[in-house]
Amino acid sequence: MVELKNVDVHYKEGGVDALNDVNLKIYDGEFVFIVGSSGAGKSTLLKLLTREKVPTSGRVFVNGYNLSGLRSGKIPIFRRSIGMIFQDFRLIPNLTVYENVAFVLRVTDRSSRYIRQRVPYVLNLVRLNEKARAYPTQLSGGEQQRVAIARAFASDPGLIIADEPTGNIDPELSYEIVELLKDINKCGTTVIMVTHEHDLVKYFGGRIINLKKGSVDFDDYIGGSNEGQ
Amino acid sequence: MKGSNFSYLVKQGVVSVWHNRMMSFASFCILMVSLLFICLAVLFSLDIGIIIGNIEDTNQIIVFVEKETPEPELAHIRDVLDSFDYTASVDYITPDKAWEMMQDEFNESIAGVFDAIDEHMMPHTFTVSLNDITKTAEAAERFRIINYVEKVNTPFDFVNFLISIRTTFTVIGIAILIALVAVCIVIIYNTARTSVFARRTHISIMKHVGATNAFIRFPFFIEGMFIGVIAGAVSWYLTKITYESVVTLFASDIMLLDVLGINNIIGFYEINWLVLGANCLAGAFLGAVGTVFSMGKHLKV
């Protein structure tokens, strides 16, 4: 579960209030879209959830970890409980598709045998088995993002945080990427997806959190236009 | 850490050397040149110490004793000379031997001059070598007051010159070494920082997927160490070539051989493995530590 209690984030540089008294609960197994214009506080919120930042005041809980008081030595352990997907994919360029996905498992000290079984399985989920030996630069944007999704899902995390995962790919492939995330969500993984593509949000529907000037402006469920398809 | 992960990280470290070949080459060159300079500086300063030591060994105090000195007194004088704390050795030269030596030393062209000189004019002579030439003045004063001693000859100017040379070389040598090591560390640290900066995204990805700092550092550590060992081995070879060339150049001068005792300086073959081992170890240490310490800022994600 993800919970923010009375969270304020204030940047000393420029005296900006990035988040103001944010209270939020996201339950296990939910799929949530976070939307908002530039400067609304989306990036700051994600940085809080991945413990890149600590709030100026208030408390942040993710997967049972109190991130406000988390010691630096425990941060890697916490991060293994989440999967991250970035707009710019962030694949390691000198590793093959297989190695990029396996890397997360090596970090968590999984056995070679487990890695040999798990990596082909997740690559199969994102339909990239045949590209296992390719390097990221040999793939299209959509394929690279699918590798990033496979990597995020490889360690079977309880929560996947996707930061504008469709921002750098063709619009028609965006739907495919969200479909993949929806499939992962159906397996029980909580998914938080930050996006500014309103068409996607309207199409898929579900729980929408709209941030405006550092505060939660809207938090409710909407019906998607794909329902019934 | 599992064995398979350990070997994976070692492999990653070695493979990274090739993937980041431009920065690896830059680090290699800096390390290699630094180690070459340090190694040559150490070897030549050791040699200068040996050369000065050789000159010191041949530097003797000559004590002339009256011709009429009785035999038992000569033995006593020898004992007194020997008992001085800094005496290394005492040699006695009989008047006859001194006469022969003087004749040998002069050119045959003036050999006729010796016919006119009384061959019994030579005094008894003791040559005293000290193990610390800074005590020459003190020794001369002590020897001068011994009964029957006629004269004490000390090459004071030369002794003072040697002492000042040795002090200067020691001070300059240590200063150069410290400066070289400091410059090396700064350059290696900055080269490593540039190399790590080029891979900051890579490090940031590792941090985001939950890698510990030790896990991230390990391949960089191996990479730095690998480059360092190769730089150490190459610098050893270049040190060998440079050192042997310089020694050969000086050794061709017979006078230098005799006066300075250059034939006693360190032969590279004697310390071949020591230099190779020290260079590789120093290279590995500097390469690994430089790389690992320069990562600090990028690990704070």
Side-chain angles (χ1 to χ4, degrees), chain A residues 140-227:
Chain A
S140 68
E143 286 173 329
Q144 286 190 56
Q145 196 58 292
R146 273 152 58 199
V147 178
I149 291 171
R151 180 180 66 185
F153 187 58
S155 58
D156 201 12
L159 169 68
I160 284 183
I161 298 171
D163 183 9
E164 305 212 18
T166 57
N168 269 359
I169 54 177
D170 296 336
E172 58 269 27
L173 290 173
S174 299
Y175 292 88
E176 193 185 325
I177 293 296
V178 182
E179 288 288 1
L180 263 176
L181 291 172
K182 285 277 185 189
D183 288 343
I184 289 171
N185 176 244
K186 280 175 196 159
C187 299
T189 307
T190 312
V191 177
I192 298 174
M193 177 174 155
V194 171
T195 183
H196 60 268
E197 292 182 53
H198 290 279
D199 289 345
L200 271 180
V201 176
K202 283 176 192 161
Y203 179 79
F204 287 99
R207 185 177 172 191
I208 316 293
I209 296 171
N210 183 32
L211 291 178
K212 194 174 180 183
K213 291 182 182 172
S215 299
V216 177
D217 184 51
F218 176 88
D219 183 359
D220 212 340
Y221 292 84
I222 62 166
S225 57
N226 70 333
E227 279 173 16

Side-chain angles (χ1 to χ4, degrees), chain B residues 200-220:
Chain B
R200 62 196 183 286
T201 315
H202 191 141
I203 296 170
S204 136
I205 295 166
M206 290 173 158
K207 288 292 287 184
H208 275 114
V209 298
T212 57
N213 289 351
F215 190 93
I216 296 170
R217 276 193 175 118
F218 195 72
F220 284 90

Side-chain angles (χ1 to χ4, degrees), chain A residues 50-52 75-77 79-80 82 84 86 90-95 99 103-112 115 151, chain B residues 1-5 8-9 11-12 15-16 19-20 199 201-202 204-213 215-216 299 301:
Chain A
T50 55
R51 186 45 176 82
E52 273 183 74
I75 295 173
I77 313 295
R79 285 188 180 151
R80 291 171 197 178
I82 59 173
M84 278 294 293
F86 303 93
R90 297 203 194 171
L91 301 176
I92 299 173
N94 57 345
L95 297 184
E99 284 300 335
F103 180 75
V104 187
L105 301 172
R106 293 192 203 282
V107 164
T108 51
D109 218 16
R110 297 299 184 110
S111 69
S112 297
I115 293 170
R151 180 180 66 185
Chain B
M1 191 188 292
K2 286 196 168 63
S4 56
N5 275 351
Y8 166 80
L9 289 175
K11 193 179 148 200
Q12 280 302 305
V15 167
S16 294
H19 281 304
N20 307 288
R199 281 182 282 167
T201 315
H202 191 141
S204 136
I205 295 166
M206 290 173 158
K207 288 292 287 184
H208 275 114
V209 298
T212 57
N213 289 351
F215 190 93
I216 296 170
L299 292 173
V301 177

Side-chain angles (χ1 to χ4, degrees), chain B residues 26-47:
Chain B
S27 307
F28 162 79
C29 289
I30 298 288
L31 263 172
M32 193 261 294
V33 171
S34 308
L35 288 171
L36 175 68
F37 280 144
I38 290 176
C39 215
L40 285 174
V42 169
L43 281 175
F44 285 127
S45 57
L46 285 175
D47 279 344

